[in-house]
Amino acid sequence: MTHLPDHRLRQREYLLQISRAITAQLDLTSVLSLVINVAVDLLAGTAGLIALYDEQNNTELQIHASSGIPHEVWPALKPLLQIPPGYVSRDNVVQALQDVMVNTGLSLRQVIALPLTFRDSRVGMIYAFRAALNVDFSADEAQILQAFADQAAIAVSNARLYQGVLREKQRLDAMIEQSADGVMIVDPRWRITTFNKAMEHLTGWPRSEAIGRPCAEVLAIRNNQGVNICLVDCPLQRRPHSLNPVAEGWVTTRDGRQIYVQSRYAPQTSAEGAFLGAIANVRDITQQKHEEEMQNTFVSIISHELKTPVSIIKGYAGTLQREDANWSQETLREGLRVIEEEADRLARQIQGLLDVSRIQAGGIRLDMTEWDLRLLAREVVEAFAAQTDERFEFEMRFPDDFPPVHADYEFVRMVLTNLVSNGVKYSPEGGTIRIGGWADDEMVLVSVTDQGIGIPPEEQERIFQRFYRIDNRLRRQTQGAGLGLYLARAIIEAHGGHLMVESQPGRGSRFTFTLPVGHRRISVDITT
Ligand code: ADP
């Protein structure tokens, strides 16, 4: 067994202590303080410093740790940082030391300065000082200090790597957190480790409760039969593995909503192919799903709505043409009237469809002019009064100074006609249909009120959706494709206005829309 000299033993112990500190804690300042304290102690020095080049431009040294020198005097030590690497003072006091002694009152008479190098790049400097002039730093001592310098360099590089990783992680966390899609990360045991804000919003689960739970519990995606796909057919566990695992289905949120989601997974595997976890990207595609369903309903409604008048027309035309029958004038007229009525109905349906596709394809192009809405209201009322029987009464209520509107005449006519037509259609008992108006400086408010069957509260938003018709007794008895209110709202919103409904089932409904006021009146005011 070899006997190491005492200081070698201590050096070995110290280095061990330092390398333990480096692996145990990643706080750079405390590791550097340990290194410099131990080094100064071992060299029987008075003081010591560790300075590092800044990470960006790598030119300027900055003090990061000291031994035997209070923190407050660090700014006064700047001249010391000019001492070149590898410098060992011999029996003389360097000018930089002189200056610092004068300025700080510290006794620093001898110095040894060594570079901190890691993989050929210089990351900083280590300095040890003595107060006495007569004991030079020996070559042996220089070697000892170099060993500490190497340790410090490793600590610096570790800490910087760690900080780099930490920064990346923070950036990634922020990206995940801010993502508009729901993002969820699961560990190899399918437990949730990350759950972003969008995911909380989507599922109604607070992050604090979702984390740690199995993903199949929090995002229980069910197929149309109500079976939890995540339990019985998890796309990540299918064999053979699919390249783009994805699951789609219904999710009941924590707060009881039903949403339709699509979840795409990016599985992570080790080099040996073991499952390490997965990132799930979850999107709420309820709206898309509804639209898909509506398209299907659309086809059935349209085929029904279009086929009915066509078959009536065809039936009447065929009957009237029969050569063996001798139709009376009255029967002929009645037949032709039905044919005309059904042809009109067909034309209206087709026009409605054309309007919808036009609005969807290119938005609504408005031809804005200024005109008096009271005249339009009168026109509409007169048309309906002529078509309806005595069960209905029509009323108009507008103030005398009702201003002109700034709007597209034809489009607003469509809206008003549709609202009045609905008022009539959905008032089987008849009643009063009232068109009223009210204005302030910026907009006019127009309402159409009926005393019909009304609309249940839960249906009041849905009736503005495309192809939506309330499933009630009148649904079968009235014509319609559920497009009128969808179009009306689109038209009013294109004008910058709103269309809303208030209704009490059994009592009636009031539809109100806003439109911008025309400026003619205002400009007249200014010039007079
Ligand atoms: P349509 O009348 O062609 O069905 P709309 O989009 O105009 O389509 O209306 C959608 C649904 O809203 C109607 O089917 C009806 O159930 C309901 N609705 C609309 N207006 C009224 C009203 N004034 N009173 C009661 N229900 C109404």
Side-chain angles (χ1 to χ4, degrees):
M1 188 170 155
T2 48
H3 287 274
L4 292 172
D6 184 45
H7 78 270
R8 284 280 180 215
L9 257 174
R10 274 173 57 215
Q11 180 189 356
R12 211 174 63 169
E13 265 165 35
Y14 279 147
L15 288 177
L16 238 130
Q17 196 183 336
I18 290 166
S19 53
R20 248 185 251 126
I22 290 177
T23 41
Q25 56 185 17
L26 286 155
D27 170 16
L28 183 60
T29 312
S30 56
V31 174
L32 293 182
S33 300
L34 178 67
V35 171
I36 194 64
N37 279 324
V38 166
V40 167
D41 183 30
L42 200 67
L43 297 179
T46 326
L49 280 183
I50 293 180
L52 300 180
Y53 290 108
D54 64 53
E55 239 176 311
Q56 266 77 44
N57 51 27
N58 227 19
T59 51
E60 205 173 319
L61 278 170
Q62 260 180 4
I63 301 174
H64 278 253
S66 64
S67 169
I69 301 171
H71 199 286
E72 308 82 74
V73 299
W74 283 8
L77 302 182
K78 257 201 158 158
L80 299 178
L81 305 179
Q82 305 299 329
I83 300 173
Y87 183 85
V88 185
S89 59
R90 303 252 169 259
D91 267 345
N92 56 341
V93 181
V94 191
Q95 187 58 44
L97 290 182
Q98 294 276 26
D99 296 346
V100 169
M101 283 198 288
V102 171
N103 289 339
T104 63
L106 293 167
S107 302
L108 310 173
R109 293 201 174 74
Q110 284 195 55
V111 62
I112 173 165
L114 291 177
L116 261 51
T117 349
F118 186 76
R119 292 210 184 114
D120 295 336
S121 88
R122 190 172 296 162
V123 295
M125 294 281 292
I126 188 166
Y127 307 86
F129 306 96
R130 272 190 187 137
L133 255 186
N134 48 1
V135 237
D136 285 352
F137 283 107
S138 66
D140 222 16
E141 285 174 323
Q143 235 180 33
I144 292 172
L145 191 65
Q146 189 58 60
F148 286 106
D150 292 345
Q151 292 292 317
I154 292 171
V156 169
S157 125
N158 270 4
R160 287 190 176 163
L161 275 176
Y162 175 72
Q163 273 155 11
V165 171
L166 203 68
R167 263 198 304 274
E168 279 308 307
K169 183 174 174 339
Q170 281 165 347
R171 211 167 356 185
L172 209 66
D173 284 349
M175 268 165 60
I176 290 178
E177 181 61 7
Q178 296 309 325
S179 161
D181 284 351
V183 179
M184 172 174 85
I185 303 181
V186 296
D187 70 8
R189 293 166 52 235
W190 313 98
R191 301 207 174 251
I192 299 171
T193 58
T194 299
F195 200 75
N196 75 348
K197 200 158 52 184
M199 205 64 196
E200 286 187 315
H201 189 70
L202 204 86
T203 61
W205 277 79
R207 179 177 325 184
S208 54
E209 286 183 47
I211 286 180
R213 279 182 203 261
C215 57
E217 181 188 341
V218 173
L219 193 77
I221 302 179
R222 293 177 194 278
N223 62 15
N224 283 335
Q225 286 71 47
V227 177
N228 187 342
I229 305 173
C230 298
L231 286 178
V232 299
D233 185 26
C234 170
L236 285 165
Q237 296 185 43
R238 277 183 211 139
R239 297 287 179 274
H241 287 300
S242 78
L243 275 180
N244 293 307
V246 61
E248 219 182 275
W250 295 99
V251 167
T252 309
T253 64
R254 198 101 192 273
D255 40 341
R257 288 172 291 131
Q258 286 291 324
I259 55 171
Y260 194 86
V261 303
Q262 184 183 61
S263 180
R264 300 191 161 275
Y265 302 90
Q268 294 157 316
T269 43
S270 69
E272 295 77 38
F275 179 68
L276 297 177
I279 304 175
N281 226 274
V282 188
R283 249 181 215 193
D284 179 350
I285 55 166
T286 317
Q287 191 58 27
Q288 244 166 284
K289 186 74 188 164
H290 273 318
E291 301 218 333
E292 231 171 71
E293 275 168 11
M294 283 208 280
Q295 293 293 351
N296 296 339
T297 326
F298 170 70
V299 174
S300 56
I301 288 176
I302 289 311
S303 43
H304 175 257
E305 289 287 326
L306 297 186
K307 264 172 152 175
T308 314
V310 169
S311 50
I312 296 175
I313 290 171
K314 195 166 159 45
Y316 270 84
T319 315
L320 295 183
Q321 267 192 71
R322 273 171 59 179
E323 289 180 0
D324 54 338
N326 204 357
W327 302 118
S328 69
Q329 275 300 315
E330 197 189 335
T331 315
L332 272 176
R333 216 173 302 120
E334 172 62 11
L336 288 173
R337 191 188 60 75
V338 173
I339 289 177
E340 190 180 18
E341 224 177 72
E342 293 300 317
D344 283 347
R345 168 162 135 181
L346 199 56
R348 274 200 307 275
Q349 297 285 9
I350 291 171
Q351 189 56 48
L353 289 176
L354 288 177
D355 289 339
V356 169
S357 62
R358 188 165 47 133
I359 282 168
Q360 279 182 336
I364 301 175
R365 226 161 292 140
L366 300 173
D367 179 13
M368 301 289 272
T369 50
E370 291 189 11
W371 42 275
D372 191 337
L373 198 133
R374 288 172 295 191
L375 300 180
L376 172 66
R378 186 174 311 143
E379 207 179 292
V380 172
V381 160
E382 279 167 6
F384 275 93
Q387 288 170 32
T388 52
D389 54 40
E390 66 283 356
R391 284 177 303 148
F392 286 96
E393 247 183 65
F394 292 89
E395 236 181 64
M396 279 186 35
R397 274 202 200 160
F398 284 91
D400 289 342
D401 61 349
F402 192 71
V405 293
H406 183 65
D408 184 302
Y409 187 84
E410 280 309 320
F411 273 123
V412 177
R413 182 219 285 274
M414 258 170 78
V415 173
L416 206 58
T417 306
N418 184 263
L419 295 181
V420 174
S421 148
N422 279 350
V424 171
K425 274 199 311 197
Y426 302 107
S427 300
E429 317 284 326
T432 305
I433 310 269
R434 180 186 304 138
I435 307 183
W438 182 84
D440 67 15
D441 287 345
E442 276 159 23
M443 59 175 193
V444 302
L445 239 114
V446 180
S447 63
V448 177
T449 315
D450 65 54
Q451 298 171 326
I453 57 166
I455 301 158
E458 66 278 10
E459 303 276 13
Q460 289 180 8
E461 247 331 285
R462 293 199 204 127
I463 55 173
F464 295 99
Q465 291 172 5
R466 255 184 324 167
F467 311 122
Y468 192 81
R469 305 197 73 203
I470 299 176
D471 199 1
N472 55 20
R473 184 166 57 86
L474 283 189
R475 182 184 163 129
R476 302 239 148 263
Q477 294 165 12
T478 54
Q479 297 169 13
L483 291 174
L485 289 177
Y486 167 77
L487 279 171
R489 183 172 264 185
I491 290 168
I492 294 300
E493 286 180 354
H495 283 85
H498 299 286
L499 168 62
M500 51 243 145
V501 63
E502 297 153 87
S503 179
Q504 271 190 19
R507 314 268 315 249
S509 314
R510 183 190 357 247
F511 285 85
T512 307
F513 62 86
T514 55
L515 282 177
V517 154
H519 292 291
R520 205 166 42 197
R521 196 177 48 149
I522 293 168
S523 61
V524 168
D525 283 349
I526 291 168
T527 50
T528 52

